[in-house]
Amino acid sequence: MLQQCSTYLRRAPLVLRSARNCRTFQSRRIVMELDPAVQKVTVRSSAKDEKMTITLHINGQQRNLTRDKIEAVENPLRRIQMSAVPGKTGKAKKARKGQTPPSSPTGPPLPRIRLLQGSTIDSPMVETYVKNEDAWAHGRLLLVGKQQFIVDRNPPTVEKVEVIGDVLVDCPVLANATLAFADDAATMFTWQRIAPTASSQVGSGGDSSPKALDLPETSCVYTPVQADVGCKLRVLCTPVTNAAGGREGRRGAPVDVTVGPVMAGPGRDTPTARRHALTQAAVPAEQGFRLVTYNLLADQYASSDKGKTKLFAYCPTRFLSASYRWPLIIAELLGFNADVICLQEVDARAFSAFFKPHLRAAGFNGTYTNKVGKTHEGCAMFWRRSRFAATAKRDVDFRKFFASMRPESEATQKSPRSSDDGSSGSGSNAFGADDVAPQLLPMLEASPHLVDSLQRVGTIAQMVVLRAVQARGEQSSSGKGAAAEAATAGLCVLNTHLFYHPQAPHIRTMHTAALMAAAHTFLRQLSQPGGSSTPRPSVVFCGDLNSDLNEGIPGVVELLRSGRVAEDFWDWREGQDFSFGRGRADAAVFTAQADAAELASPDDSNGELEETHASAAASPRVSVPSPSPPAATPAPPSPAATSPAAVSPTAGSSPPSAMASSNPASRGFGARLLSDIEREKQQRQAQAKPPVPATTRPAVVGVDLTIPFHLAPADGLVTEFTNYVRGYRGFLDYVWHEPDRMHAARQVPLPTRADVQAYMPSEIFPSDHMSVVFDMAWGPSPTSTDGSGDGSSDEAQPLPAKLPQIPAALIALQSGVIAIPTDTLYGFACPATSAAGIEAIYRIKGRQASAPLAVCLADVWQVGVYGEAAHLPAGLLRALLPGPVTVVLKRRPDAPLAAQLNPGVGTLGIRIPNHGFVRDLCRGVGGALALTSANPSGAPSALEVTDFQQLWPSCSAVFDGGPIPTSARDGSCIVDLTDPKVFRILREGNERAYCNAIDMLKLHGMQSATP
């Protein structure tokens, strides 16, 4: 019987067919013939996959089998059996008809193969029909001829250990291990410092082997210290399975990686380190939370050729690399001990490969949302797991939002559709569009190019509801009042990075209104299903809103702070002709200004537009502030006389879309960038293809826009800047909150201009933006924080020329003259419609009645309301203004001015200072301010508020904007533009202003009337 079975073994393809009839094979003689060395057969079977892999070394080679889990074990065993035959590949060829099969007696004998149910030789065999998933259990014994293999199923494995970024002192280094069948918490890490070898040191001798020193860190993160500088770091990762029943988990093969050498980095005496010293202690949960918002500067912009050679040419290339910047950013974020972190301009790869693993190791959970379109960057939000749990999340795709309210869309007809978070919704209000559609639809229906533009912008927003996590043993809050209620209700955190184009402030305003409507709908839907009595979460809105205060309060800020933007607000006029793809005609005259702006700051619209519309995104930020500190400003305009609906655009101020609201050439860029050759080129282009008149394009109708939340800025809108690059400095990064539910207890101070030293990014600052950090406290503020004051003036203490003081300035203007800073000199101002105020200016200055006063306005489009400008070349006024230029035009008979202003004078000097405080005052009074220098007639002009201190008592209020950053007291350049095609310089004023004005005048085809 034994002989018969042995013959069958040599010939049969698989002995397991008769295994139950061959029990005698388990004899002592056969066992003694087995190789005593036991090898491993590694089986990997993931629950999420339909296939499994079987790996073993046999016949001198490694064999890898990928098999279906539901397949019978007979098939892989046959493959292994074939592989064990010398010269065989393991894959038998099918025998043709009439040929001898490969297992014929003439071929080499096949080894006996058995898969046993246990780990010992006397264990019963596994039946051939058993499925692979069940057959290959851990610890079972596989016998192939004389070889023994123990099944190692799902061994803990390190698939990869990755360390991203430069290794810098005080910057955490993460060994990001990709594990299979291992427990993250149980996996062990060993860090070693490897000193430079002796042979690598000049003039040294002796042992050249590397010296490794074990470091005390046992987690996946190690923060290098000064002693590590010059050394390399080795990390050894040993995967371990989760222990069960008190037993130690299985350990897998360790994997190591060496990085470095360690570099010194920026050091500890930095503005960031000083900020970290203020955030060593966390904010107690019962008191509030710490919030960070930060635009990281996406690597796809920083490391691009444009970024290296133009946008950030002042920054050494090494400091622009992601490998240098990312470690600094993560060290900065972790040093704040924040509870909620909102990030913008996060590269998709940076989130998944760097920031998410780092912050997860530090105790945070997070989510990422990519912008719509082909760009690979977006917004990310993180929250500390020990403080908050995310209970709901929804992303806002603004393209879908506005498409859902378009008259021709299905959503407008209430067709069922799914909301952007996958939940079922009814029509457009799955996004919240129904709440704002009645306000916006009239404008969308009247502006097809606006509808098209909204579908070209890839802006997104995140909405995450965070509820407080109750620690073990902690009692639920039993307190009463607004603070306890707000702490219990949790947060609804909104995070976005608004689209930027210099002629599209209205799109940012509309996106903000859309986000507020979406958040309102989101929270309302969350409260419906269970009818919960839990208070609604408090709204916190963070992000880069691309809306500075350098030239007045933009629509985004006005909408958020007051809850409303009026139909005559300047944003609507500024964007009335904006559209993508207008071609070269509009841009020809303005290429030089756009080039200047391109050098001034990055194009934040980068990546948000489809590549086919790249030309539309070619106009970067050109809102370059004057060298003076930007004065925040606001106050909504509500003048019927200056309503965009009532005023047709003038030839000199159109097309608004062809030029930015602030011209860099009038701030010193023109002399540097506009060469004679370039000017001639632009003139030829302008003559060949004149800009299309604004009146031929459909106008955007302004609308009254409201939001359903009452929000307040955490900083009181007094922040000077959060973005600082060559040629631009502005406040772009905001935190807004509901003041009746929480308040800003403290802001971690931002770096000053002296801290920045040059521009950002740099060796010290990894982004062109600053991180904004607030300690938010539950409940309303115990004291008022709006800083608006009561409108009274302290003669001995001028008020700061900042946004919160606008209400006080408006009150003071009602009763007299105020003193204000401009971009050239300090001046006296009053409403241009106030006869008493005009008389008071003459009295205070001791000015002759025959000397005329100029007026100042907020926006270029208003010039045609006060002076005759139809004869001016298109775009000229926008090339000159805002800035240190006064244009003299024929006074319109119907201009809304007091009769006492320059009686008998047929011309009018008009200014638009590049100073946000002044421009918002004009918006606040609803029109023009009469303006003249703040000094006694004949005395030197004032560059500081103390230069005219003797005149303070004569003023209703005095506002201090700091020293005017110029040594010249010549004032603005005055240009007579009353006649077509010619200009006369009546006063040169500041030399730079004069040179730039001449450049712009000639660029637009104007000829000097004097030889």
Side-chain angles (χ1 to χ4, degrees):
M1 178 66 179
L2 179 61
Q3 185 177 4
Q4 292 176 352
C5 289
S6 299
T7 303
Y8 180 79
L9 260 177
R10 288 194 298 268
R11 297 184 177 182
L14 194 64
V15 301
L16 294 181
R17 298 175 185 271
S18 348
R20 283 174 293 191
N21 299 324
C22 298
R23 296 294 183 184
T24 55
F25 284 147
Q26 298 177 16
S27 65
R28 181 178 178 82
R29 182 178 63 83
I30 295 178
V31 172
M32 292 299 293
E33 292 177 356
L34 293 175
D35 188 339
V38 179
Q39 304 176 61
K40 284 187 178 181
V41 53
T42 303
V43 177
R44 291 181 172 86
S45 177
S46 174
K48 63 182 180 181
D49 296 328
E50 296 180 354
K51 294 182 179 293
M52 60 194 302
T53 62
I54 304 168
T55 304
L56 74 165
H57 279 83
I58 194 167
N59 198 17
Q61 295 182 351
Q62 177 174 304
R63 302 295 183 183
N64 298 298
L65 286 74
T66 301
R67 314 298 298 186
D68 289 329
K69 292 181 179 180
I70 60 174
E71 175 190 41
V73 72
E74 174 185 14
N75 294 332
L77 288 177
R78 182 182 292 110
R79 290 285 304 277
I80 295 172
Q81 186 182 39
M82 295 292 295
S83 298
V85 179
K88 294 287 186 179
T89 62
K91 189 170 184 179
K93 295 183 179 179
K94 293 182 179 180
R96 294 182 179 178
K97 188 174 182 180
Q99 290 184 344
T100 304
S103 59
S104 66
T106 60
L110 295 176
R112 184 184 182 191
I113 185 167
R114 294 178 294 166
L115 180 60
L116 307 181
Q117 296 183 21
S119 59
T120 60
I121 193 66
D122 57 351
S123 301
M125 287 183 291
V126 176
E127 300 290 351
T128 59
Y129 57 81
V130 176
K131 296 178 182 179
N132 279 324
E133 176 68 9
D134 301 325
W136 297 96
H138 181 69
R140 288 183 171 178
L141 191 64
L142 173 68
L143 302 179
V144 184
K146 296 180 180 181
Q147 296 179 330
Q148 301 183 65
F149 298 86
I150 193 74
V151 176
D152 188 11
R153 181 174 175 125
N154 291 346
T157 306
V158 179
E159 297 182 347
K160 179 176 64 174
V161 177
E162 189 176 22
V163 176
I164 297 178
D166 294 345
V167 184
L168 306 174
V169 171
D170 295 328
C171 293
V173 179
L174 171 71
N176 187 19
T178 303
L179 304 175
F181 315 114
D183 181 58
D184 288 341
T187 296
M188 299 182 299
F189 293 86
T190 302
W191 292 84
Q192 294 178 326
R193 177 198 301 154
I194 304 177
T197 59
S199 61
S200 67
Q201 301 174 5
V202 178
S204 64
D207 186 11
S208 63
S209 60
K211 306 297 183 181
L213 174 67
D214 286 345
L215 299 171
E217 185 59 60
T218 58
S219 73
C220 61
V221 179
Y222 173 70
T223 303
V225 296
Q226 196 64 35
D228 297 325
V229 174
C231 301
K232 291 188 176 182
L233 297 178
R234 176 191 293 153
V235 58
L236 188 73
C237 176
T238 304
V240 183
T241 60
N242 191 15
R247 297 176 298 173
E248 185 178 352
R250 294 165 56 197
R251 294 191 182 187
V255 173
D256 70 278
V257 63
T258 301
V259 297
V262 178
M263 293 176 284
R268 296 188 176 182
D269 186 20
T270 64
T272 300
R274 292 191 287 272
R275 298 179 79 197
H276 285 166
L278 303 175
T279 57
Q280 294 298 302
V283 177
E286 66 276 8
Q287 295 180 13
F289 60 97
R290 184 167 294 145
L291 173 68
V292 175
T293 183
Y294 197 0
N295 181 317
L296 303 187
L297 176 57
D299 180 57
Q300 58 189 281
Y301 309 142
S303 63
S304 66
D305 290 340
K306 179 180 177 181
K308 294 175 183 178
T309 61
K310 288 188 176 182
L311 304 181
F312 311 114
Y314 51 82
C315 182
T317 303
R318 181 200 163 201
F319 302 142
L320 288 174
S321 66
S323 61
Y324 182 84
R325 296 192 307 111
W326 291 355
L328 290 185
I329 290 173
I330 199 66
E332 182 176 359
L333 290 174
L334 295 178
F336 289 131
N337 283 311
D339 300 303
V340 180
I341 300 174
C342 293
L343 305 176
Q344 305 86 41
E345 267 193 46
V346 183
D347 295 276
R349 177 180 173 273
F351 175 81
S352 59
F354 189 82
F355 291 107
K356 182 179 180 180
H358 260 287
L359 289 167
R360 181 180 60 207
F364 289 84
N365 286 343
T367 182
Y368 171 80
T369 308
N370 204 88
K371 289 180 179 176
V372 179
K374 298 179 181 180
T375 184
H376 298 290
E377 58 98 350
C379 295
M381 190 187 304
F382 295 91
W383 53 93
R384 191 177 294 277
R385 290 191 296 270
S386 61
R387 288 293 314 276
F388 294 105
T391 60
K393 174 184 178 293
R394 181 176 295 177
D395 294 333
V396 180
D397 177 345
F398 289 108
R399 290 187 186 180
K400 290 183 179 179
F401 185 97
F402 285 100
S404 70
M405 69 168 64
R406 290 168 62 181
E408 67 270 20
S409 72
E410 296 179 1
T412 307
Q413 272 127 62
K414 305 292 184 183
S415 61
R417 61 180 299 169
S418 296
S419 65
D420 51 352
D421 68 339
S423 61
S424 176
S426 175
S428 58
N429 218 39
F431 302 100
D434 283 356
D435 294 344
V436 75
Q439 302 174 64
L440 291 177
L441 272 178
M443 183 168 60
L444 295 176
E445 292 172 347
S447 309
H449 62 286
L450 176 58
V451 173
D452 176 72
S453 296
L454 290 168
Q455 295 305 306
R456 305 283 186 93
V457 178
T459 305
I460 53 84
Q462 296 176 307
M463 304 188 296
V464 178
V465 173
L466 301 176
R467 301 285 187 179
V469 173
Q470 186 173 320
R472 182 174 298 178
E474 180 181 308
Q475 298 297 322
S476 59
S477 176
S478 57
K480 296 181 179 180
E485 182 176 315
T488 302
L491 305 171
C492 178
V493 184
L494 314 180
N495 180 31
T496 192
H497 181 191
L498 292 183
F499 162 76
Y500 179 76
H501 191 287
Q503 280 79 53
H506 61 313
I507 289 182
R508 294 190 288 278
T509 302
M510 295 171 69
H511 279 171
T512 301
L515 178 55
M516 294 299 110
H520 186 255
T521 298
F522 179 44
L523 294 176
R524 186 175 63 234
Q525 291 174 347
L526 289 178
S527 65
Q528 285 175 353
S532 173
S533 59
T534 303
R536 173 181 65 77
S538 303
V539 172
V540 179
F541 179 25
C542 306
D544 177 357
L545 305 188
N546 264 319
S547 303
D548 63 36
L549 306 175
N550 294 344
E551 298 172 354
I553 190 166
V556 169
V557 175
E558 178 63 21
L559 182 65
L560 292 172
R561 78 180 186 101
S562 69
R564 175 179 177 265
V565 167
E567 65 178 351
D568 56 3
F569 198 77
W570 67 285
D571 266 16
W572 306 128
R573 167 64 63 173
E574 198 72 21
Q576 68 173 348
D577 294 295
F578 173 77
S579 63
F580 289 118
R582 285 193 305 269
R584 299 178 181 176
D586 285 354
V589 181
F590 305 101
T591 301
Q593 289 91 328
D595 286 344
E598 185 175 41
L599 288 174
S601 72
D603 182 356
D604 288 334
S605 67
N606 235 350
E608 292 194 352
L609 310 176
E610 298 293 349
E611 291 181 3
T612 54
H613 308 298
S615 61
S619 299
R621 183 191 310 284
V622 291
S623 179
V624 182
S626 65
S628 62
T633 46
S638 54
T642 57
S643 169
V647 181
S648 15
T650 65
S653 62
S654 64
S657 55
M659 181 62 191
S661 58
S662 178
N663 172 27
S666 66
R667 290 161 182 74
F669 286 91
R672 177 161 55 90
L673 295 174
L674 293 176
S675 64
D676 293 337
I677 296 176
E678 183 65 21
R679 285 197 295 270
E680 292 174 3
K681 173 185 174 182
Q682 299 304 325
Q683 288 173 349
R684 288 195 301 269
Q685 291 177 333
Q687 293 169 0
K689 295 182 179 181
V692 180
T695 53
T696 65
R697 304 192 189 107
V700 173
V701 180
V703 295
D704 269 330
L705 202 55
T706 60
I707 59 174
F709 300 108
H710 172 216
L711 300 177
D715 75 311
L717 297 180
V718 298
T719 299
E720 183 179 355
F721 62 88
T722 59
N723 178 255
Y724 202 156
V725 295
R726 185 178 63 187
Y728 178 81
R729 182 180 64 249
F731 174 30
L732 302 177
D733 305 276
Y734 294 79
V735 173
W736 297 82
H737 61 92
E738 294 187 270
D740 56 337
R741 292 167 171 258
M742 68 181 69
H743 65 279
R746 178 184 69 155
Q747 179 177 13
V748 177
L750 290 165
T752 64
R753 291 192 220 176
D755 291 331
V756 175
Q757 298 179 0
Y759 307 109
M760 302 162 54
S762 65
E763 179 183 8
I764 298 175
F765 296 99
S767 173
D768 58 337
H769 289 250
M770 296 175 176
S771 55
V772 177
V773 186
F774 282 97
D775 288 351
M776 305 301 297
W778 304 120
S781 173
T783 58
S784 174
T785 58
D786 61 7
S788 60
D790 58 4
S792 62
S793 174
D794 185 348
E795 295 177 358
Q797 187 63 46
L799 300 172
K802 296 288 186 179
L803 172 62
Q805 301 300 335
I806 288 292
L810 294 175
I811 293 174
L813 282 171
Q814 295 176 6
S815 58
V817 174
I818 65 173
I820 56 176
T822 72
D823 54 351
T824 54
L825 303 168
Y826 273 84
F828 291 133
C830 72
T833 56
S834 171
I838 293 169
E839 292 173 356
I841 286 180
Y842 281 99
R843 184 174 62 254
I844 294 171
K845 284 181 62 73
R847 187 183 181 98
Q848 294 182 359
S850 59
L853 298 178
V855 299
C856 70
L857 303 173
D859 300 291
V860 175
W861 65 265
Q862 294 175 304
V863 173
V865 177
Y866 295 87
E868 299 286 353
H871 62 286
L872 298 178
L876 174 61
L877 290 179
R878 286 185 173 269
L880 296 172
L881 304 171
V885 176
T886 300
V887 296
V888 177
L889 300 171
K890 293 180 181 179
R891 177 171 173 170
R892 287 179 62 104
D894 57 348
L897 300 170
Q900 291 77 6
L901 181 73
N902 309 336
V905 179
T907 58
L908 180 67
I910 301 175
R911 280 211 64 197
I912 301 180
N914 183 35
H915 201 292
F917 186 79
V918 179
R919 296 179 67 185
D920 265 334
L921 274 178
C922 294
R923 296 188 182 108
V925 300
L929 290 174
L931 182 67
T932 187
S933 59
N935 60 301
S937 185
S941 301
L943 297 179
E944 297 190 38
V945 73
T946 54
D947 289 348
F948 59 97
Q949 189 168 0
Q950 72 276 19
L951 300 180
W952 290 2
S954 302
C955 300
S956 298
V958 177
F959 293 90
D960 184 5
I964 306 296
T966 179
S967 58
R969 300 175 185 265
D970 301 325
S972 63
C973 175
I974 302 179
V975 184
D976 185 345
L977 299 177
T978 54
D979 295 327
K981 299 182 180 181
V982 298
F983 67 89
R984 299 176 182 84
I985 301 297
L986 304 182
R987 184 179 74 187
E988 292 186 4
N990 179 277
E991 181 179 0
R992 177 174 294 183
Y994 168 74
C995 294
N996 288 336
I998 294 295
D999 285 337
M1000 292 298 102
L1001 289 164
K1002 291 183 176 180
L1003 181 64
H1004 287 78
M1006 301 288 286
Q1007 302 294 324
S1008 175
T1010 58

